Amino acid sequence: WLAALEVPGPAGVFDRSLEYFLPLLSESPERLALAAAECPVGALMADAVQMLVCYEHGGLDPGNACYISLEERVREGVVGNGLRIFIGSRWPILDAVRMLGLSGRAPA
């Protein structure tokens, strides 16, 4: 997934992520927890993409529980991982969450 995100091209982060992200939706919670332990920043990227999918389907409506719960998880992931996200990581997490910056609400 990371290698696909690093290839320059017209497709954005979101479009290049779907092929790799969608299979994660069918994984067990145990396997997802193991993946998060092995690559916490990659897991944060998966949460950010899922948050974007929820946003695309329900916007910032206060009833969009999918988006709201994932936004909180992304916020916690950014805080929990600290500067590892910004320094030395090739995962484009900020590019993904910046897509939400057009809304009136502060992105995760």
Side-chain angles (χ1 to χ4, degrees):
W1 181 9
L2 181 57
L5 291 172
E6 292 179 321
V7 174
V13 169
F14 183 71
D15 293 329
R16 289 184 282 161
S17 293
L18 288 179
E19 171 185 350
Y20 301 94
F21 165 74
L22 291 176
L24 294 175
L25 295 177
S26 62
E27 288 291 344
S28 71
E30 294 80 19
R31 288 199 36 104
L32 291 175
L34 177 62
E38 290 177 356
C39 185
V41 180
L44 179 57
M45 181 69 186
D47 287 344
V49 171
Q50 187 174 359
M51 180 181 74
L52 291 170
V53 169
C54 293
Y55 173 78
E56 288 291 317
H57 290 286
L60 294 174
D61 182 330
N64 187 352
C66 172
Y67 172 79
I68 291 169
S69 66
L70 283 160
E71 180 188 37
E72 181 64 26
R73 216 159 71 193
V74 169
R75 286 180 185 275
E76 289 171 2
V78 169
V79 170
N81 285 293
L83 291 178
R84 282 193 299 173
I85 292 172
F86 306 108
I87 300 171
S89 176
R90 297 181 343 250
W91 287 100
I93 294 168
L94 293 180
D95 291 340
V97 297
R98 192 173 299 134
M99 293 172 66
L100 297 175
L102 298 175
S103 69
R105 187 172 176 179

